[in-house]
Amino acid sequence: MRFSFLLTILLGLLTFPVMGQNYTSAADSDPAAKAILDQVRQKYEAYTTIEANFSLEIQFPEQPVEIQKGTLSRDGDKYRAQFGVQEVMMDDQAMYMVSHNNKSVQIRDLPDEDEEAGMLSPQSLFNFYDGGDFVYTLIDTRTVDGKVVHVIEFKPTDRYSE
């Protein structure tokens, strides 16, 4: 499925290392990168249900790369993500984080619509770049398994953010 491949690529892009480039605000973002992100977002928002496999590459300086694989399913505003021994589910009332390893469940009420959520959800995967917290640029376009892949680098505008 082409969409699941795009989702895999987009999730993987969140972990690219910060390169030495000057930037000061989200207004410095690459218009070509924004056009690609907007296109992926429009396609995603057109689906009412979706299921996709993903892999997330986590890389910290001087540490080995960790790759987590999982699945993501969405039905309207409800979603479920499974990766490793963790599972995250969200409905219209709360987010449920299940750790199968230690047999625990954390339940977190959802913030009001006008509050800062601070939560990663399938919806925020495709609109987080609109908040002004990141500057992004298209750094590569290549073909992988016969499909065009655009590599977009994201950097926080706050140099002290995590």
Side-chain angles (χ1 to χ4, degrees):
M1 173 183 208
R2 183 171 180 222
F3 183 75
S4 66
F5 182 78
L6 287 174
L7 179 62
T8 301
I9 297 304
L10 187 58
L11 286 170
L13 296 178
L14 298 177
T15 62
F16 274 81
V18 175
M19 304 287 198
Q21 178 179 339
N22 294 329
Y23 59 90
T24 56
S25 73
D28 296 329
S29 292
D30 181 358
K34 181 165 179 32
I36 292 166
L37 291 167
D38 288 345
Q39 183 181 15
V40 171
R41 182 165 129 186
Q42 283 179 339
K43 185 166 187 156
Y44 173 78
E45 289 176 347
Y47 293 109
T48 56
T49 61
I50 191 167
E51 185 169 309
N53 295 320
F54 67 88
S55 62
L56 178 63
E57 184 176 300
I58 303 169
Q59 186 174 15
F60 293 103
E62 300 178 21
Q63 292 185 11
V65 174
E66 178 184 343
I67 298 176
Q68 294 183 2
K69 294 184 178 193
T71 60
L72 171 74
S73 54
R74 172 184 162 217
D75 185 3
D77 288 337
K78 298 176 186 177
Y79 78 89
R80 178 181 179 179
Q82 293 179 281
F83 46 97
V85 295
Q86 296 183 346
E87 188 172 358
V88 178
M89 296 169 278
M90 187 185 324
D91 59 21
D92 57 349
Q93 298 176 2
M95 177 167 42
Y96 310 86
M97 295 173 279
V98 180
S99 176
H100 296 284
N101 203 21
N102 62 8
K103 299 180 181 176
S104 69
V105 176
Q106 294 179 10
I107 302 172
R108 187 170 169 188
D109 291 336
L110 296 181
D112 293 332
E113 288 184 28
D114 59 341
E115 291 179 319
E116 177 71 29
M119 294 183 188
L120 186 62
S121 69
Q123 292 81 355
S124 67
L125 286 175
F126 297 103
N127 67 13
F128 73 93
Y129 62 92
D130 276 343
D133 297 327
F134 295 92
V135 63
Y136 42 89
T137 186
L138 178 63
I139 60 171
D140 191 17
T141 299
R142 57 183 152 213
T143 303
V144 176
D145 295 330
K147 297 178 182 174
V148 175
V149 177
H150 302 287
V151 179
I152 298 172
E153 180 180 60
F154 293 88
K155 299 176 194 176
T157 54
D158 177 0
R159 293 185 184 272
Y160 302 105
S161 74
E162 294 182 14

